[in-house]
Short mmCIF file of all heavy atoms in Angstrom, two decimals:
data_model
loop_
_atom_site.label_atom_id
_atom_site.label_comp_id
_atom_site.label_asym_id
_atom_site.label_seq_id
_atom_site.Cartn_x
_atom_site.Cartn_y
_atom_site.Cartn_z
N ARG A 1 -11.16 12.14 -70.41
CA ARG A 1 -11.33 13.02 -71.56
C ARG A 1 -10.09 13.90 -71.77
O ARG A 1 -10.18 15.07 -72.14
CB ARG A 1 -12.58 13.91 -71.39
CG ARG A 1 -13.86 13.11 -71.36
CD ARG A 1 -15.09 14.01 -71.17
NE ARG A 1 -15.17 15.05 -72.18
CZ ARG A 1 -15.58 14.88 -73.44
NH1 ARG A 1 -15.95 13.67 -73.85
NH2 ARG A 1 -15.64 15.89 -74.28
N ALA A 2 -8.93 13.31 -71.55
CA ALA A 2 -7.68 14.06 -71.63
C ALA A 2 -7.12 14.03 -73.06
O ALA A 2 -7.38 13.12 -73.84
CB ALA A 2 -6.66 13.47 -70.67
N ALA A 3 -6.34 15.05 -73.38
CA ALA A 3 -5.64 15.07 -74.66
C ALA A 3 -4.49 14.08 -74.63
O ALA A 3 -3.95 13.75 -73.56
CB ALA A 3 -5.11 16.48 -74.93
N ALA A 4 -4.09 13.58 -75.79
CA ALA A 4 -3.05 12.55 -75.87
C ALA A 4 -1.75 13.00 -75.21
O ALA A 4 -1.10 12.22 -74.50
CB ALA A 4 -2.81 12.16 -77.33
N GLN A 5 -1.38 14.27 -75.40
CA GLN A 5 -0.11 14.73 -74.84
C GLN A 5 -0.13 14.79 -73.32
O GLN A 5 0.92 14.74 -72.67
CB GLN A 5 0.28 16.10 -75.41
CG GLN A 5 -0.70 17.23 -75.12
CD GLN A 5 -1.70 17.42 -76.25
OE1 GLN A 5 -2.02 16.46 -76.96
NE2 GLN A 5 -2.16 18.65 -76.41
N ASP A 6 -1.32 14.90 -72.73
CA ASP A 6 -1.41 14.97 -71.28
C ASP A 6 -1.24 13.62 -70.59
O ASP A 6 -1.14 13.54 -69.37
CB ASP A 6 -2.76 15.58 -70.87
CG ASP A 6 -2.89 17.03 -71.30
OD1 ASP A 6 -1.84 17.68 -71.45
OD2 ASP A 6 -4.03 17.49 -71.51
N MET A 7 -1.23 12.54 -71.38
CA MET A 7 -1.12 11.21 -70.80
C MET A 7 0.32 10.72 -70.71
O MET A 7 0.59 9.67 -70.13
CB MET A 7 -1.94 10.21 -71.63
CG MET A 7 -3.41 10.55 -71.73
SD MET A 7 -4.29 9.37 -72.76
CE MET A 7 -5.80 10.27 -73.09
N ALA A 8 1.24 11.46 -71.30
CA ALA A 8 2.65 11.04 -71.30
C ALA A 8 3.26 11.23 -69.92
O ALA A 8 2.92 12.17 -69.19
CB ALA A 8 3.43 11.82 -72.34
N GLN A 9 4.18 10.33 -69.57
CA GLN A 9 4.86 10.45 -68.29
C GLN A 9 5.73 11.69 -68.27
O GLN A 9 6.42 12.00 -69.24
CB GLN A 9 5.71 9.20 -68.02
CG GLN A 9 6.25 9.16 -66.59
CD GLN A 9 7.11 7.95 -66.33
OE1 GLN A 9 7.92 7.58 -67.18
NE2 GLN A 9 6.96 7.33 -65.19
N ARG A 10 5.69 12.41 -67.18
CA ARG A 10 6.51 13.62 -67.00
C ARG A 10 7.73 13.29 -66.15
O ARG A 10 7.69 12.38 -65.33
CB ARG A 10 5.68 14.71 -66.30
CG ARG A 10 4.35 15.03 -66.97
CD ARG A 10 4.54 15.62 -68.35
NE ARG A 10 3.23 15.98 -68.93
CZ ARG A 10 3.06 16.34 -70.19
NH1 ARG A 10 4.09 16.39 -71.01
NH2 ARG A 10 1.86 16.65 -70.64
N PRO A 11 8.84 14.01 -66.34
CA PRO A 11 9.04 15.12 -67.28
C PRO A 11 9.52 14.69 -68.66
O PRO A 11 9.74 15.52 -69.52
CB PRO A 11 10.09 15.96 -66.58
CG PRO A 11 10.95 14.97 -65.88
CD PRO A 11 10.01 13.86 -65.42
N ALA A 12 9.73 13.38 -68.86
CA ALA A 12 10.35 12.92 -70.12
C ALA A 12 9.52 13.33 -71.34
O ALA A 12 10.06 13.77 -72.35
CB ALA A 12 10.54 11.41 -70.08
N ASP A 13 8.19 13.14 -71.26
CA ASP A 13 7.29 13.52 -72.36
C ASP A 13 7.73 12.91 -73.68
O ASP A 13 7.85 13.59 -74.70
CB ASP A 13 7.22 15.05 -72.45
CG ASP A 13 5.98 15.51 -73.21
OD1 ASP A 13 5.05 14.69 -73.37
OD2 ASP A 13 5.95 16.68 -73.63
N LEU A 14 7.98 11.60 -73.66
CA LEU A 14 8.47 10.90 -74.85
C LEU A 14 7.35 10.28 -75.68
O LEU A 14 7.61 9.60 -76.66
CB LEU A 14 9.43 9.77 -74.43
CG LEU A 14 10.68 10.20 -73.66
CD1 LEU A 14 11.44 8.96 -73.17
CD2 LEU A 14 11.57 11.07 -74.54
N GLY A 15 6.11 10.54 -75.29
CA GLY A 15 5.01 9.79 -75.87
C GLY A 15 4.72 8.57 -75.01
O GLY A 15 5.40 8.31 -74.01
N TRP A 16 3.72 7.82 -75.37
CA TRP A 16 3.32 6.65 -74.56
C TRP A 16 2.75 5.57 -75.46
O TRP A 16 2.40 5.82 -76.62
CB TRP A 16 2.29 7.05 -73.50
CG TRP A 16 1.09 7.80 -74.05
CD1 TRP A 16 0.95 9.15 -74.15
CD2 TRP A 16 -0.09 7.24 -74.62
NE1 TRP A 16 -0.27 9.47 -74.72
CE2 TRP A 16 -0.93 8.32 -75.01
CE3 TRP A 16 -0.54 5.93 -74.81
CZ2 TRP A 16 -2.18 8.12 -75.61
CZ3 TRP A 16 -1.80 5.74 -75.41
CH2 TRP A 16 -2.60 6.82 -75.79
N LYS A 17 2.67 4.35 -74.89
CA LYS A 17 2.13 3.23 -75.66
C LYS A 17 1.42 2.26 -74.72
O LYS A 17 1.88 2.00 -73.61
CB LYS A 17 3.25 2.50 -76.41
CG LYS A 17 2.72 1.39 -77.33
CD LYS A 17 3.83 0.79 -78.19
CE LYS A 17 3.27 -0.23 -79.17
NZ LYS A 17 4.34 -0.82 -80.01
N LEU A 18 0.30 1.73 -75.20
CA LEU A 18 -0.45 0.68 -74.50
C LEU A 18 -0.59 -0.50 -75.45
O LEU A 18 -0.84 -0.33 -76.64
CB LEU A 18 -1.86 1.17 -74.12
CG LEU A 18 -1.97 2.48 -73.35
CD1 LEU A 18 -3.43 2.89 -73.24
CD2 LEU A 18 -1.34 2.34 -71.97
N THR A 19 -0.42 -1.70 -74.93
CA THR A 19 -0.70 -2.90 -75.71
C THR A 19 -1.59 -3.81 -74.89
O THR A 19 -1.49 -3.85 -73.65
CB THR A 19 0.58 -3.67 -76.10
OG1 THR A 19 1.30 -4.03 -74.91
CG2 THR A 19 1.48 -2.81 -76.97
N GLY A 20 -2.47 -4.51 -75.55
CA GLY A 20 -3.39 -5.39 -74.84
C GLY A 20 -3.73 -6.62 -75.66
O GLY A 20 -3.73 -6.57 -76.90
N ILE A 21 -4.00 -7.70 -74.96
CA ILE A 21 -4.51 -8.92 -75.59
C ILE A 21 -5.96 -9.05 -75.15
O ILE A 21 -6.25 -9.24 -73.96
CB ILE A 21 -3.72 -10.18 -75.17
CG1 ILE A 21 -2.23 -9.99 -75.49
CG2 ILE A 21 -4.28 -11.42 -75.87
CD1 ILE A 21 -1.91 -9.83 -76.96
N LEU A 22 -6.88 -8.93 -76.10
CA LEU A 22 -8.31 -8.93 -75.81
C LEU A 22 -8.95 -10.22 -76.28
O LEU A 22 -8.84 -10.59 -77.45
CB LEU A 22 -8.98 -7.74 -76.51
CG LEU A 22 -10.47 -7.58 -76.27
CD1 LEU A 22 -10.73 -7.02 -74.88
CD2 LEU A 22 -11.10 -6.68 -77.33
N GLN A 23 -9.60 -10.90 -75.35
CA GLN A 23 -10.40 -12.08 -75.71
C GLN A 23 -11.84 -11.60 -75.90
O GLN A 23 -12.47 -11.09 -74.98
CB GLN A 23 -10.35 -13.12 -74.59
CG GLN A 23 -11.08 -14.42 -74.90
CD GLN A 23 -10.39 -15.22 -75.98
OE1 GLN A 23 -9.17 -15.26 -76.03
NE2 GLN A 23 -11.16 -15.86 -76.86
N SER A 24 -12.37 -11.74 -77.11
CA SER A 24 -13.68 -11.19 -77.42
C SER A 24 -14.45 -12.13 -78.33
O SER A 24 -14.05 -12.39 -79.48
CB SER A 24 -13.54 -9.82 -78.09
OG SER A 24 -14.80 -9.32 -78.50
N LEU A 25 -15.57 -12.66 -77.80
CA LEU A 25 -16.48 -13.48 -78.61
C LEU A 25 -15.73 -14.58 -79.36
O LEU A 25 -15.84 -14.72 -80.57
CB LEU A 25 -17.27 -12.61 -79.59
CG LEU A 25 -18.08 -11.46 -78.98
CD1 LEU A 25 -18.77 -10.67 -80.07
CD2 LEU A 25 -19.09 -11.98 -77.97
N HIS A 26 -14.97 -15.37 -78.62
CA HIS A 26 -14.23 -16.53 -79.15
C HIS A 26 -13.09 -16.15 -80.09
O HIS A 26 -12.55 -17.01 -80.81
CB HIS A 26 -15.18 -17.50 -79.87
CG HIS A 26 -16.40 -17.86 -79.08
ND1 HIS A 26 -16.33 -18.57 -77.91
CD2 HIS A 26 -17.71 -17.58 -79.28
CE1 HIS A 26 -17.55 -18.73 -77.42
NE2 HIS A 26 -18.40 -18.13 -78.22
N GLN A 27 -12.71 -14.88 -80.10
CA GLN A 27 -11.57 -14.45 -80.89
C GLN A 27 -10.59 -13.70 -80.00
O GLN A 27 -10.97 -13.10 -79.01
CB GLN A 27 -12.01 -13.54 -82.05
CG GLN A 27 -12.86 -14.24 -83.10
CD GLN A 27 -13.16 -13.32 -84.28
OE1 GLN A 27 -13.32 -12.12 -84.11
NE2 GLN A 27 -13.25 -13.89 -85.47
N THR A 28 -9.31 -13.75 -80.39
CA THR A 28 -8.27 -13.05 -79.65
C THR A 28 -7.70 -11.95 -80.53
O THR A 28 -7.35 -12.19 -81.70
CB THR A 28 -7.15 -14.01 -79.23
OG1 THR A 28 -7.70 -15.04 -78.41
CG2 THR A 28 -6.08 -13.28 -78.43
N HIS A 29 -7.63 -10.73 -79.98
CA HIS A 29 -7.13 -9.59 -80.73
C HIS A 29 -5.95 -8.96 -80.00
O HIS A 29 -5.98 -8.81 -78.77
CB HIS A 29 -8.22 -8.53 -80.89
CG HIS A 29 -9.43 -9.00 -81.64
ND1 HIS A 29 -9.47 -9.12 -83.01
CD2 HIS A 29 -10.65 -9.40 -81.18
CE1 HIS A 29 -10.66 -9.57 -83.38
NE2 HIS A 29 -11.39 -9.74 -82.29
N GLU A 30 -4.94 -8.58 -80.75
CA GLU A 30 -3.83 -7.81 -80.20
C GLU A 30 -4.04 -6.34 -80.57
O GLU A 30 -4.19 -6.00 -81.75
CB GLU A 30 -2.49 -8.30 -80.76
CG GLU A 30 -1.31 -7.56 -80.15
CD GLU A 30 0.04 -8.10 -80.62
OE1 GLU A 30 0.07 -9.20 -81.20
OE2 GLU A 30 1.05 -7.41 -80.39
N ILE A 31 -4.06 -5.50 -79.56
CA ILE A 31 -4.37 -4.09 -79.77
C ILE A 31 -3.19 -3.24 -79.31
O ILE A 31 -2.63 -3.47 -78.23
CB ILE A 31 -5.64 -3.68 -79.00
CG1 ILE A 31 -6.83 -4.54 -79.45
CG2 ILE A 31 -5.94 -2.21 -79.21
CD1 ILE A 31 -8.06 -4.35 -78.61
N GLU A 32 -2.81 -2.28 -80.14
CA GLU A 32 -1.77 -1.31 -79.79
C GLU A 32 -2.36 0.09 -79.90
O GLU A 32 -3.03 0.42 -80.88
CB GLU A 32 -0.58 -1.43 -80.74
CG GLU A 32 0.10 -2.78 -80.75
CD GLU A 32 1.13 -2.87 -81.86
OE1 GLU A 32 2.22 -2.28 -81.70
OE2 GLU A 32 0.83 -3.50 -82.89
N ILE A 33 -2.11 0.91 -78.89
CA ILE A 33 -2.58 2.30 -78.88
C ILE A 33 -1.40 3.16 -78.43
O ILE A 33 -0.77 2.85 -77.42
CB ILE A 33 -3.77 2.47 -77.91
CG1 ILE A 33 -4.88 1.48 -78.25
CG2 ILE A 33 -4.29 3.90 -77.95
CD1 ILE A 33 -5.96 1.38 -77.19
N TRP A 34 -1.11 4.22 -79.15
CA TRP A 34 0.07 5.00 -78.78
C TRP A 34 -0.06 6.45 -79.27
O TRP A 34 -0.90 6.78 -80.11
CB TRP A 34 1.33 4.36 -79.34
CG TRP A 34 1.52 4.52 -80.82
CD1 TRP A 34 2.25 5.47 -81.47
CD2 TRP A 34 0.96 3.69 -81.85
NE1 TRP A 34 2.19 5.29 -82.84
CE2 TRP A 34 1.40 4.21 -83.10
CE3 TRP A 34 0.13 2.56 -81.85
CZ2 TRP A 34 1.04 3.63 -84.31
CZ3 TRP A 34 -0.24 2.00 -83.05
CH2 TRP A 34 0.22 2.52 -84.27
N SER A 35 0.79 7.27 -78.69
CA SER A 35 0.93 8.67 -79.12
C SER A 35 2.40 9.01 -79.06
O SER A 35 3.07 8.73 -78.07
CB SER A 35 0.13 9.59 -78.21
OG SER A 35 0.43 10.95 -78.48
#
C-alpha cells in the first residue's frame, strides 16, 4: 500500500517501470506500469 514515489530506487529517485507478459485465458497481454 505504498505511494508511487516510495517505490523508486534510492538515492537516484528517477522513477520506476515494470513490464510484464501476461498469459490470460488463451490471450497474451503486454503490460507496462510506471511512475
Side-chain angles (χ1 to χ4, degrees):
R1 296 179 56 77
Q5 61 266 28
D6 295 334
M7 301 178 196
Q9 190 181 42
R10 307 295 183 190
D13 200 16
L14 300 173
W16 52 268
K17 185 173 184 179
L18 308 172
T19 59
I21 304 297
L22 181 76
Q23 184 69 38
S24 175
L25 303 178
H26 310 295
Q27 294 185 326
T28 300
H29 299 282
E30 183 176 346
I31 302 171
E32 300 172 75
I33 305 168
W34 73 96
S35 171

